[in-house]
């Protein structure tokens, strides 16, 4: 009998999609620190801290995606990133880019796990 979606290990495949998204997001957040510090107008200290903490959280969540709560935590990261737009507009922009990407990863997860073999 074949596994859901025809994958040998659907759980690992889905975790790979989620981890890839979180790694890319974490790297982009780290790369955003220097421009935010050097080119940001006004006091950007809080925005820099939010950016750094979210990058670390993204990297930590990569290894925790075996737990269902980690997927919800990934969604919380996106919401915090969007809310960070009140600190600096660039955090809002990153939230607009990575929020839909994470929603797509959640969609892929749900579709793989809900696809039952006949």
């Amino acid at each position: 009998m074949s596994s859901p979606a025809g994958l040998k290990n659907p759980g690992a495949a889905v975790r790979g999609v989620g981890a890839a998204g979180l790694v890319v997001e974490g790297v982009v957040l780290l790369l955003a620190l220097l421009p935010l510090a050097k080119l940001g107008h006004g006091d950007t200290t809080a925005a820099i801290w939010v950016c750094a903490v979210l990058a670390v959280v993204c990297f930590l969540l990569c290894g925790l995606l075996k737990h269902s709560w980690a997927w919800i935590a990934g969604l919380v990261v996106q919401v915090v990133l969007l809310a960070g737009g009140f600190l600096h507009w660039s955090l809002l922009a990153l939230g607009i880019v990575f929020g839909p990407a994470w929603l797509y990863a959640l969609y892929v997860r749900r579709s793989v796990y809900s696809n039952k073999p006949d």
Side-chain angles (χ1 to χ4, degrees):
M1 188 165 260
S2 65
S3 63
L7 299 169
K8 290 182 181 180
N9 189 348
V14 170
R15 286 191 305 273
V17 169
L22 287 171
V23 165
V24 170
E25 184 173 3
V27 168
V28 169
L29 286 168
L30 288 178
L31 290 172
L33 289 175
L34 186 61
L36 193 57
K38 296 294 182 184
L39 303 175
H41 299 292
D43 186 22
T44 57
T45 306
I48 291 169
W49 274 106
V50 167
C51 199
V53 167
L54 287 178
V56 170
V57 169
C58 284
F59 294 131
L60 290 174
L61 285 176
C62 287
L64 297 172
L65 289 176
K66 287 184 180 181
H67 308 284
S68 60
W69 60 263
W71 291 88
I72 303 303
L75 189 58
V76 170
V77 167
Q78 310 313 315
V79 171
V80 171
L81 196 54
L82 287 169
F86 288 110
L87 299 173
H88 196 270
W89 65 268
S90 62
L91 296 180
L92 176 65
L94 290 175
I96 290 171
V97 170
F98 287 107
W102 188 252
L103 289 175
Y104 180 71
L106 290 173
Y107 168 77
V108 168
R109 179 178 185 256
R110 191 179 88 200
S111 67
V112 166
Y113 283 127
S114 69
N115 186 9
K116 302 215 181 343
D118 293 334

